[in-house]
Amino acid sequence: EADIYQTPRYLVIGTGKKITLECSQTMGHDKMYWYQQDPGMELHLIHYSYGVNSTEKGDLSSESTVSRIRTEHFPLTLESARPSHTSQYLCASSDSPGRTTDTQYFGPGTRLTVL
Amino acid sequence: AQKVTQAQTEISVVEKEDVTLDCVYETRDTTYYLFWYKQPPSGELVFLIRRNSFDEQNEISGRYSWNFQKSTSSFNFTITASQVVDSAVYFCALSSNNQGGKLIFGQGTELSVKP
């Protein structure tokens, strides 16, 4: 099982602010993911990474960007937050090489509210 | 295209009742993986089980059991003698190597267990 951390857990900010949601895992997993989830709704993949210096967009279009400079760290940035970005953001990681499938383990999530 | 359908949006039971959560999936891949996750009110996703498409053996873990039937493309989840702590949203998910290991989630079923 992965130890995966997200900060902050809750964030309330004003429109136009730049924010970075942090995600770190301590298991050395190559793959990391970001999902967006509106309350009571299904999860949608917005970004993923197969390893260092690898990032790809997910199935749901997002104005956010990600980077993967270190294996354990996968931050998500919004350059200018808007109320439409209000949602829960969940980070996950898995220990499988390349495009193969393995169990994804999730962090506790960040609940973002943009006023 | 891959798709997961959880037709039951909400289920309410009384403690000690048995309850089954339905999951129906669609995929053209011959090798795929099915998952169940639990999301308690705190928001994190907790991994429950992973099943490979080539292994149709049903599984039991304590009060939890899973019924995988390829003939009907279903992967149902049963909780026996439900408890209040089982109250959560449960997600079924599908993945395959052809899809790069990305998870496709169902809409989730909110289970409420009343004392």
Short mmCIF file of all heavy atoms in Angstrom, two decimals, chain A residues 8 68 88 92 96 98 106 109:
data_model
loop_
_atom_site.label_atom_id
_atom_site.label_comp_id
_atom_site.label_asym_id
_atom_site.label_seq_id
_atom_site.Cartn_x
_atom_site.Cartn_y
_atom_site.Cartn_z
N PRO A 8 -2.76 21.46 0.47
CA PRO A 8 -3.52 21.42 1.71
C PRO A 8 -4.71 20.48 1.59
O PRO A 8 -5.05 20.06 0.50
CB PRO A 8 -3.97 22.87 1.86
CG PRO A 8 -4.14 23.35 0.45
CD PRO A 8 -3.03 22.67 -0.33
N ARG A 68 6.62 16.92 -13.20
CA ARG A 68 7.16 15.73 -12.54
C ARG A 68 8.68 15.77 -12.63
O ARG A 68 9.29 15.15 -13.48
CB ARG A 68 6.62 14.46 -13.21
CG ARG A 68 6.92 13.19 -12.43
CD ARG A 68 5.91 12.88 -11.39
NE ARG A 68 6.22 11.72 -10.59
CZ ARG A 68 5.98 10.45 -10.96
NH1 ARG A 68 5.43 10.21 -12.14
NH2 ARG A 68 6.29 9.47 -10.16
N GLN A 88 -13.11 18.73 -5.67
CA GLN A 88 -12.12 17.98 -4.92
C GLN A 88 -11.11 17.42 -5.91
O GLN A 88 -11.48 16.90 -6.96
CB GLN A 88 -12.74 16.84 -4.11
CG GLN A 88 -11.68 15.92 -3.48
CD GLN A 88 -12.14 15.11 -2.31
OE1 GLN A 88 -11.86 15.46 -1.17
NE2 GLN A 88 -12.86 14.04 -2.56
N ALA A 92 -3.17 10.14 -6.99
CA ALA A 92 -2.98 8.69 -6.83
C ALA A 92 -1.64 8.27 -7.41
O ALA A 92 -1.04 9.00 -8.22
CB ALA A 92 -4.11 7.92 -7.52
N SER A 96 3.56 0.29 -11.41
CA SER A 96 3.57 -0.58 -12.59
C SER A 96 4.35 0.11 -13.69
O SER A 96 4.26 1.31 -13.86
CB SER A 96 2.15 -0.87 -13.05
OG SER A 96 1.44 0.31 -13.33
N GLY A 98 5.62 1.40 -17.36
CA GLY A 98 5.06 1.79 -18.64
C GLY A 98 3.55 1.95 -18.62
O GLY A 98 2.99 2.56 -17.72
N PHE A 106 -4.74 6.11 -3.42
CA PHE A 106 -5.12 7.51 -3.41
C PHE A 106 -4.69 8.25 -2.15
O PHE A 106 -4.65 7.68 -1.05
CB PHE A 106 -6.64 7.65 -3.57
CG PHE A 106 -7.11 7.38 -4.96
CD1 PHE A 106 -7.24 6.09 -5.43
CD2 PHE A 106 -7.42 8.43 -5.81
CE1 PHE A 106 -7.67 5.83 -6.72
CE2 PHE A 106 -7.85 8.18 -7.11
CZ PHE A 106 -7.97 6.88 -7.57
N GLY A 109 -6.94 13.79 -0.67
CA GLY A 109 -7.67 14.77 -1.45
C GLY A 109 -7.49 16.20 -0.95
O GLY A 109 -7.17 16.44 0.22
#
